[in-house]
Every structure is written in C-alpha cells, then in structure tokens.
C-alpha cells in the first residue's frame, strides 16, 4: 500500500484529532513527526509539523474531509 501525504498538522494534538476524524470515516492514517519537536532548531522548518498520511486509495475522500476541516477551523 502506497501512502500519500494528506496534511501537515500544527502539532500532535491536531494530528490526533484529524486521525480520529478519518478513523470515524473508516479511513486509516499514519502520523509521523510527533517525536521530533525536541530537536527543533537542529532540523528543517517542516520537521516541526506532524505529517498525516493516508493510502492513495483513500486520498480523494480524505482530502475532501481536510478541505472542509481547513475551511471550518483555519478560515
């Protein structure tokens, strides 16, 4: 199964919320980067974000959720 980056979450809490919401829609996801916060300053700027991945098969439906999420919470 090939994974595709769905979203760069601001922190571990946001990534967990998104993972839970996707799970409620029967979409499996993988979160990476939550443990890198202690190394900020040593790593590239994008390392401060938690990355949410989904399978390519679920990307389209998951991306629809993310677009609604961004509109609702990020203005």
């Amino acid at each position: 199964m090939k994974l595709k980056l769905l979203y760069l979450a601001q922190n571990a809490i946001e990534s967990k919320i998104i993972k839970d919401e996707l799970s409620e829609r029967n979409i499996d996801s993988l979160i990476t980067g939550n443990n890198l916060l202690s190394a900020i300053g040593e790593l590239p700027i994008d390392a401060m974000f938690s990355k949410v991945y989904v399978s390519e098969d679920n990307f389209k439906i998951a991306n629809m959720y993310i677009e609604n999420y961004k509109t609702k919470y990020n203005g």
Side-chain angles (χ1 to χ4, degrees):
M1 169 176 56
K2 189 169 182 181
L3 297 178
K4 193 167 181 179
L5 178 62
L6 177 68
Y7 187 71
L8 293 175
Q10 296 294 316
N11 53 52
I13 295 169
E14 184 182 33
S15 65
K16 177 68 169 128
I17 290 168
I18 290 170
K19 182 174 180 62
D20 289 348
E21 289 288 328
L22 291 172
S23 181
E24 286 183 17
R25 291 162 174 78
N26 295 316
I27 299 171
D28 292 329
S29 60
L30 172 71
I31 299 172
T32 64
N34 284 347
N35 297 329
L36 297 176
L37 291 177
S38 62
I40 295 302
E42 304 289 325
L43 298 171
I45 191 72
D46 69 334
M48 68 184 270
F49 297 103
S50 298
K51 295 171 181 73
V52 181
Y53 292 90
V54 295
S55 72
E56 283 187 339
D57 295 340
N58 289 325
F59 183 81
K60 188 174 182 178
I61 191 80
N63 195 52
M64 286 192 289
Y65 162 73
I66 288 296
E67 291 304 318
N68 287 334
Y69 171 83
K70 289 192 300 189
T71 301
K72 186 175 180 180
Y73 294 103
N74 297 331

